Amino acid sequence: MAIERFPVEASHILMFARAVGDPNPIYADEAYAKGTEVGGIIAPPTFAQSSAQFDPDYFLRPRIGEPWFGSGKEPTGIKKEKKEEGESSGSAAGGLHAEQHFTYHRHLRPGDVLPGTVLPGETWEKEGKRSGKLVFSETITEYRDQNGELVITARGVGVRTERVIES
Amino acid sequence: MALSASSVKVGDTYAQVVVDNLSRTQIVQYAGASGDYNPIHTDEVFATQVAGYPTVFAHGMLTMGLTGKMVTDYVGDGRLTNYGVRFVRQVWPGDTLTATAEVAAVRTEGSDQLVDLTITTTNQNGEAVLTGSATARLDP
């Protein structure tokens, strides 16, 4: 996932804060935020994840004019290919999110424009009790601001399972 | 209003209910804001009939975001230097989540006074759905 340009905007921060159930005015009220230590609106701690909105190739966003793997007339818009033996369940969903870590050098503000650089991460396997073989893969993304300064380092770990995990 | 080094000690805890009876609509809201439209989180037909789950479930990042509110309410705005979690159990519509921070260490690094927190978010059955840690800058 490479993002050439992640523009941080106040209305996006407002919507994101609402979605995570946080009414803190530091995310929405410029007049309030000006009078605080941080001096202006900042983004909530997990906001960098929404850079996916600006990834032109992000596969978990429907693309205009292309089939989508969610339901429409049928339970999935993708024609089912014959399931191979041992194929991962829910493989169309691209696995599950196992871990997420953020290091903050400073906090994002409206007006920041951040390219995200993806660094190579590791891949490893583990045998799970409920899920069969687990394949973990790591992605490290460095977000730098318009001045080239490192703002946030994000480290995500995804996992693919052999079987559906129900709880 | 940030935490100050003189007012925290190892073992202190802070907890909040960060969502009560999680709605499918809030999951949709998170999908829209984050840009993660994986139908496994919002599309009941796909989640049950194609992916084989009992119903849709929340994005792990929604649980991390909900838990983040507890953390920033505790340490203050703009104070976090690290926040990392592991998603240990799925979060389903109807769940009520309580996020708790426990002070693991209070330390000095260069000119900064820092607090290390251990974070756990549990569901209404007392099962952990998220575990993690955070570090924040303290006032003297």
Side-chain angles (χ1 to χ4, degrees):
Chain A
M1 184 164 87
I3 294 150
E4 280 178 25
R5 197 170 173 277
F6 170 28
V8 177
E9 292 162 0
S11 57
H12 192 190
I13 291 175
L14 168 80
M15 289 188 287
F16 190 91
R18 282 179 180 162
V20 297
D22 196 334
N24 189 337
I26 200 76
Y27 305 132
D29 183 340
E30 183 63 42
Y32 163 85
K34 272 207 174 108
T36 66
E37 177 192 69
V38 290
I41 287 175
I42 56 171
T46 60
F47 182 78
Q49 195 73 7
S50 68
S51 64
Q53 300 275 18
F54 302 95
D55 178 354
D57 302 319
Y58 190 56
F59 74 110
L60 294 174
R61 178 178 64 240
R63 302 224 196 147
I64 297 165
E66 289 181 23
W68 171 241
F69 68 97
S71 68
K73 266 184 198 143
E74 305 294 331
T76 174
I78 303 291
K79 275 205 185 96
K80 248 210 162 139
E81 283 163 42
K82 225 175 135 191
K83 217 172 184 180
E84 307 263 336
E85 190 145 349
E87 191 190 337
S88 299
S89 61
S91 58
L96 299 173
H97 202 167
E99 289 179 43
Q100 184 67 41
H101 305 267
F102 294 106
T103 301
Y104 308 97
H105 303 282
R106 69 170 174 81
H107 289 269
L108 295 171
R109 293 173 186 273
D112 281 332
V113 180
L114 306 129
T117 309
V118 179
L119 309 177
E122 312 218 329
T123 301
W124 64 97
E125 289 185 7
K126 213 171 105 180
E127 203 62 38
K129 268 185 214 141
R130 292 179 298 165
S131 53
K133 190 170 78 174
L134 301 164
V135 181
F136 293 90
S137 59
E138 183 187 47
T139 310
I140 298 161
T141 309
E142 284 186 348
Y143 295 96
R144 286 177 189 276
D145 65 13
Q146 43 283 17
N147 306 316
E149 299 286 333
L150 188 59
V151 180
I152 291 181
T153 307
R155 177 176 164 266
V157 179
V159 60
R160 281 171 191 278
T161 60
E162 269 175 347
R163 291 190 291 275
V164 164
I165 308 170
E166 288 198 3
S167 68
Chain B
M1 285 191 307
L3 267 186
S4 69
S6 56
S7 69
V8 290
K9 57 181 192 307
V10 171
D12 283 357
T13 61
Y14 178 82
Q16 270 185 5
V17 172
V18 291
V19 70
D20 181 5
N21 186 11
L22 175 66
S23 66
R24 288 172 174 79
T25 305
Q26 186 165 0
I27 300 175
V28 169
Q29 208 178 358
Y30 186 78
S34 69
D36 180 346
Y37 294 97
N38 190 335
I40 211 157
H41 302 303
T42 55
D43 181 339
E44 186 80 13
V45 175
F46 175 86
T48 56
Q49 296 182 32
V50 180
Y53 288 96
T55 182
V56 295
F57 56 93
H59 307 71
M61 289 306 296
L62 172 53
T63 307
M64 186 179 189
L66 292 165
T67 301
K69 172 187 179 284
M70 176 279 293
V71 178
T72 51
D73 282 354
Y74 186 40
V75 302
D77 299 325
R79 292 301 184 116
L80 277 178
T81 60
N82 274 287
Y83 177 32
V85 305
R86 217 169 249 244
F87 305 107
V88 295
R89 189 177 288 272
Q90 276 151 316
V91 171
W92 305 97
D95 279 0
T96 291
L97 303 182
T98 303
T100 306
E102 180 172 353
V103 175
V106 179
R107 61 193 169 89
T108 304
E109 194 177 284
S111 57
D112 285 333
Q113 305 221 56
L114 301 173
V115 62
D116 293 324
L117 304 173
T118 303
I119 294 166
T120 312
T121 300
T122 54
N123 63 19
Q124 64 283 0
N125 305 319
E127 299 162 326
V129 296
L130 172 151
T131 60
S133 61
T135 301
R137 283 182 301 108
L138 294 167
D139 278 340

